[in-house]
Amino acid sequence: MLKFVVSEDKKWLNLLDYDEDFERRQIDISLTKKIQNFYFHPLVKKKIWDGSICFVDKKLPFWRVPVGLWSEVYHIGQKYKIDVTIDGLETIIDSSLTLEKFTDWCNQFFEGKPKQPRDYQIETAWKIIRFKLSVSEVATSSGKTLIAFMVLAYLKQVEGVEKFLMVVPNTNLILQATEDFEEYGLEELDNCEIQQIHGGNKKKISGGLMIGTYQSLVKMGPEFFDGVQAVFVDECHQAKSDSIKKVVSKCKDSIWRFGLSGTLANKNSAEYLTIQQFLGPLIMEISPKFLFDNKYATPVSIKIVKMNWLKEDLKEKLGNLKDNKTEIEGNEIFNIERKLVINSEKRLNYIVDFILRTSKNSLVLFQSVGEGYGKRIYDSLREKSPEKEVYYIDGDTDPNNREIFIKRMEEGTNRILVASFGTLSTGISINNIHNIFLTESYKSEVLIKQTLGRGMRLHKDKDKVVVVDFVDDFSWNGKQNYLMKHSKERIDIYKREHFEYKTYEVTI
């Protein structure tokens, strides 16, 4: 038996009693996880660190666990048949708020409004308010902003929350959230004048509703966060970053802390526990399949184009390098493959011609900003089809121009937006996207799922979104190259998410 109690400051689960030491030891083992891709970490390579993080604090006379991991503690007990009790959970869970009560409030608030919440959105918002500390994994196109607004409106109207803080990854999402909140009925809420906190806004005021980037918020003094009773972290899979952790930690008066994301980290990783540590347990999952089945999102159809274009002698040399991995690191071989890709004119021409043969609006995503690969794609598209409207976005693009390009994509047809993965993979909303081209290899599950979500938004002229995944096959003597292995990992993601896909082999 393990007996925990929620600490007075509601930050910890203090372990007060246990029957057997092996039970306590099991909590220690189960709450120690390795970071993702730990074997690439410099300290792991030098054998200074094994890549593990332990989420049990043993510095005091008693052990303690961050309160956000209370659900994990219960799961460990169930898995290993250990009786677990946690006294004081009622202080962080509002059992009095029923789904029926909350639904009645929603119906009243949204009566006569053009935007009506769906049942799953209402249930998600209710759970967020009820559990106070939480994370929800809701697929792109499920309406995260409306869910967040329902939580904001209820906390303002019913719970009397004075200060509400929304943390977002970039300035575009501040502008987007501001527009959406105003559309949903922000003017009906008291003390809700939006304070935008970002690098371009010199007047940073602590007020009733603050929406800011974590890059700007982390620079604010502790007094700025005084009285913040509710914190919402958008795209919370990024909550493992030091800046977001510092921002959340500064909100010492917060009663509600919640995060929403289309894709959380691997559930067996330290990053996954880190997110829960600061925000709370996973309480709701809404999958792309659920959205497709209920016609809440556009189905995704994936074409994997496996390209054979590298000369045989170069394939052989790459294969020989892989056979001598004791002399060269795997990531060095990967970088050699990547450079072959971005330097190939033959490959570039094939991809550009492929893009130009498609109709309707297209999003073309690339990774190599520094090497100028995206710019080369953009220039080639414009040169080969000067009558077509083509736009380019990367991290250095002026935010105002970015908004103009996105608006023109939304309003027009047969237009192309070339964008870096980093700027367009998360948070940017363009409903009028019919084709997505992945021009460079990527294997991050978070980034891939968020990227595909760009095309899942409903549009009156769209019955499906076509995703073209370009793959470079440098295999030699039956041994696959690294870019092919990345492709296999993407296919595993497609299968798990129930995305339809077909593979096409071409020789260039």
Side-chain angles (χ1 to χ4, degrees), residues 16-203:
L16 296 186
D17 196 12
Y18 56 95
D19 286 344
E20 303 289 346
D21 192 58
F22 78 84
E23 296 175 329
R24 186 175 72 151
R25 179 75 179 125
Q26 187 60 62
I27 290 289
D28 185 27
I29 293 170
S30 296
L31 291 180
T32 300
K33 301 286 186 183
K34 291 188 184 295
I35 63 171
Q36 295 184 81
N37 301 320
F38 67 92
Y39 33 80
F40 290 128
H41 196 285
L43 295 180
V44 174
K45 285 184 175 181
K46 293 176 183 176
K47 299 186 178 178
I48 298 172
W49 178 44
D50 70 353
S52 298
I53 297 176
C54 179
F55 291 84
V56 180
D57 181 6
K58 308 169 193 168
K59 298 186 184 76
L60 301 176
F62 53 86
W63 287 10
R64 60 183 187 172
V65 176
V67 71
L69 296 175
W70 67 263
S71 183
E72 289 291 324
V73 170
Y74 273 134
H75 288 320
I76 294 165
Q78 290 170 358
K79 183 175 181 179
Y80 296 100
K81 296 179 171 55
I82 302 169
D83 289 332
V84 173
T85 62
I86 303 177
D87 293 336
L89 266 187
E90 69 278 358
T91 63
I92 58 170
I93 299 175
D94 181 6
S95 299
S96 66
L97 179 60
T98 65
L99 179 56
E100 184 180 8
K101 280 184 188 176
F102 184 70
T103 302
D104 288 343
W105 174 85
C106 284
N107 291 338
Q108 186 177 347
F109 184 87
F110 287 96
E111 185 178 4
K113 291 184 172 63
K115 194 74 172 180
Q116 294 293 312
R118 300 164 183 162
D119 290 345
Y120 72 85
Q121 294 169 329
I122 292 174
E123 184 182 355
T124 305
W126 164 66
K127 285 186 175 181
I128 288 169
I129 296 164
R130 184 174 184 266
F131 284 99
K132 296 185 180 177
L133 309 178
S134 71
V135 169
S136 298
E137 186 173 22
V138 290
T140 304
S141 299
S142 58
K144 284 187 294 158
T145 312
L146 181 56
I147 292 169
F149 177 78
M150 284 191 281
V151 175
L152 163 69
Y154 184 88
L155 293 183
K156 285 283 186 179
Q157 272 199 353
V158 180
E159 297 291 346
V161 164
E162 288 291 323
K163 285 187 177 182
F164 185 103
L165 174 63
M166 177 174 174
V167 186
V168 298
N170 55 57
T171 306
N172 288 72
L173 287 177
I174 296 178
L175 305 175
Q176 188 176 311
T178 300
E179 289 179 10
D180 290 344
F181 282 7
E182 288 171 350
E183 178 191 344
Y184 300 152
L186 188 68
E187 73 283 349
E188 296 180 28
L189 304 176
D190 295 332
N191 188 27
C192 258
E193 183 182 348
I194 296 177
Q195 309 296 334
Q196 296 184 346
I197 317 296
H198 57 86
N201 184 8
K202 304 302 180 187
K203 189 179 180 182

Side-chain angles (χ1 to χ4, degrees), residues 269-280:
S269 67
E271 287 85 350
Y272 181 61
L273 291 186
T274 299
I275 292 168
Q276 293 187 76
Q277 173 187 6
F278 284 91
L279 296 173

Side-chain angles (χ1 to χ4, degrees), residues 272-471:
Y272 181 61
L273 291 186
T274 299
I275 292 168
Q276 293 187 76
Q277 173 187 6
F278 284 91
L279 296 173
L282 178 65
I283 60 163
M284 193 72 175
E285 293 180 84
I286 299 166
S287 68
K289 186 177 186 303
F290 169 82
L291 298 177
F292 298 152
D293 290 347
N294 290 277
K295 297 187 174 10
Y296 292 139
T298 304
V300 175
S301 176
I302 299 171
K303 294 180 179 179
I304 300 169
V305 181
K306 195 160 67 171
M307 302 178 294
N308 180 4
W309 55 268
L310 193 65
K311 290 180 179 178
E312 294 300 306
D313 61 325
L314 288 176
K315 287 182 186 178
E316 184 178 3
K317 288 176 182 176
L318 277 175
N320 291 337
L321 277 178
K322 287 193 72 176
D323 290 339
N324 294 293
K325 282 178 70 174
T326 51
E327 298 174 27
I328 183 168
E329 293 278 356
N331 61 330
E332 290 182 65
I333 302 174
F334 167 72
N335 283 328
I336 291 171
E337 290 185 20
R338 198 176 61 83
K339 284 181 180 176
L340 284 168
V341 163
I342 62 177
N343 289 331
S344 170
E345 285 297 321
K346 182 194 294 185
R347 181 188 192 273
L348 177 69
N349 286 328
Y350 176 80
I351 287 176
V352 167
D353 290 341
F354 195 117
I355 294 167
L356 290 174
R357 284 197 301 270
T358 57
S359 60
K360 301 185 177 179
N361 283 359
S362 297
L363 175 61
V364 180
L365 292 169
F366 67 93
Q367 180 187 356
S368 305
V369 178
E371 294 93 335
Y373 193 58
K375 276 283 177 73
R376 286 172 59 208
I377 294 172
Y378 167 76
D379 290 339
S380 184
L381 285 166
R382 294 193 67 188
E383 182 182 336
K384 291 191 173 190
S385 185
E387 75 284 354
K388 227 184 214 314
E389 287 193 43
V390 185
Y391 313 111
Y392 176 89
I393 292 176
D394 65 21
D396 293 330
T397 303
D398 183 274
N400 293 325
N401 289 340
R402 192 180 307 184
E403 283 300 305
I404 291 169
F405 298 158
I406 290 171
K407 187 176 180 182
R408 291 190 67 80
M409 290 292 294
E410 197 68 84
E411 295 173 349
T413 58
N414 209 23
R415 293 172 177 174
I416 300 173
L417 176 61
V418 182
S420 64
F421 272 107
T423 54
L424 259 292
S425 60
T426 61
I428 301 302
S429 177
I430 308 175
N431 296 355
N432 194 12
I433 290 290
H434 297 255
N435 311 292
I436 298 177
F437 296 92
L438 310 181
T439 65
E440 288 187 82
S441 181
Y442 226 102
K443 67 172 185 174
S444 162
E445 181 166 0
V446 169
L447 203 56
I448 294 300
K449 287 164 74 172
Q450 293 279 4
T451 297
L452 298 184
R454 297 307 101 208
M456 286 168 49
R457 301 186 188 281
L458 294 173
H459 187 271
K460 61 182 178 64
D461 297 325
K462 182 167 64 173
D463 56 4
K464 69 176 179 179
V465 59
V466 176
V467 177
V468 180
D469 181 350
F470 291 107
V471 180

